Amino acid sequence: MSERYDCTECQESLYGQKYVLKEEQPHCITCYEALYSNSCEVCKKLISCTSKDLSYKSRHWHSDCFLCNKCTRSLVDRPFATKGDLLMCTDCYCHEYSAKCHACLKTIMPGTKKMEHKGNSWHENCFICNHCQQTIGTKSFVKKDNNNYCMSCYERLFALQCIHCKKPITTGGISYHDKPWHKECFVCTGCKLQLAGQRFTSRDDFAYCLECFCSLFAKKCISCNKPISGKTKKALFDLQNLHDAARRVHPCMCAFYFLMV
Ligand SMILES: [Zn+2]
Ligand SMILES: [Zn+2]
Ligand SMILES: [Zn+2]
Ligand SMILES: [Zn+2]
Ligand SMILES: [Zn+2]
Ligand SMILES: [Zn+2]
Ligand SMILES: [Zn+2]
Ligand SMILES: [Zn+2]
């Protein structure tokens, strides 16, 4: 008597039937598929043991169902990427999720060099000065009216020019008589001391520190030849009421004489 050859599960005879061995146990097709076949992620149908079961991270597809979610091209033999549950060919993935160049609006493929600034991205070659059209690369630049300029173009085009030396003012310029100056260029006409942050006064459009102004233009004491500043004038006025306060006027004690002349 020949040995019976039955399905391990349903005990039906496998004689003349297709069957599948699973761990060396014969299964009829129906039992095998019920027990071991996976359902296709897309069409939800069973992936029969006669068709190819494509699997990725414990998800399964018929090879006909393994398609790019965007362009529906087959992903069999094509590189793909996933975003959440979505499968995409790498072309679609890049197009969908990679940064786009702010200048040419094309996708910046992952792995290529890109420039980023305030949430915008550029191909390295697209990040150019709006004026000279040279790539800016890692050089410093200035953004103005949504355009980028290399430093030298920006200075030539937009930066204020110092009225004194005619060179562009990039930082910390000052304004005097509505004209821009470098701090370093705005100096006392007399002693060349920087006047920014100092008290100064002007005469005939020239600026002077108080000291120079006083010694050059203020009335001078005819006795000691020192300038009579506002403070001194006040003291002189007081002196008219306080005849004995001469000491307070000038160290040289000449104010009294000044009043007398
Ligand atoms: Zn069976
Ligand atoms: Zn399917
Ligand atoms: Zn695609
Ligand atoms: Zn570009
Ligand atoms: Zn430029
Ligand atoms: Zn200057
Ligand atoms: Zn001075
Ligand atoms: Zn004096």
Side-chain angles (χ1 to χ4, degrees), residues 2-34:
S2 68
E3 202 190 323
R4 286 184 60 103
Y5 202 59
D6 298 337
C7 167
T8 313
E9 276 299 307
C10 66
Q11 316 300 324
E12 292 288 322
S13 168
L14 294 176
Y15 182 74
Q17 302 293 317
K18 277 189 180 170
Y19 65 93
V20 184
L21 284 175
K22 174 84 179 175
E23 282 147 16
E24 292 179 11
Q25 303 297 313
H27 291 71
C28 72
I29 298 293
T30 319
C31 287
Y32 179 85
E33 288 184 345

Side-chain angles (χ1 to χ4, degrees), residues 46-63:
L46 216 61
I47 302 168
S48 82
C49 52
T50 51
S51 57
K52 212 172 173 188
D53 178 344
L54 295 171
S55 75
Y56 174 72
K57 289 189 178 171
S58 73
R59 298 161 69 196
H60 299 266
W61 292 266
H62 292 109
S63 49

Side-chain angles (χ1 to χ4, degrees), residues 129-134 149-154:
C129 168
N130 192 56
H131 186 69
C132 66
Q133 310 288 311
Q134 301 292 307
Y149 295 91
C150 70
M151 227 35 196
S152 59
C153 284
Y154 179 81

Side-chain angles (χ1 to χ4, degrees), residues 220-226 228 250-255 258:
K220 290 187 181 111
C221 167
I222 53 161
S223 169
C224 71
N225 206 34
K226 285 178 188 156
I228 298 166
H250 260 166
C252 69
M253 294 190 290
C254 56
F258 177 74

Side-chain angles (χ1 to χ4, degrees), residues 79-105:
F80 64 92
T82 54
K83 181 83 177 179
D85 274 351
L86 295 182
L87 281 180
M88 270 179 251
C89 67
T90 43
D91 290 348
C92 287
Y93 183 86
C94 288
H95 189 71
E96 201 72 4
Y97 298 108
S98 298
K100 294 204 176 43
C101 173
H102 195 63
C104 71
L105 306 180

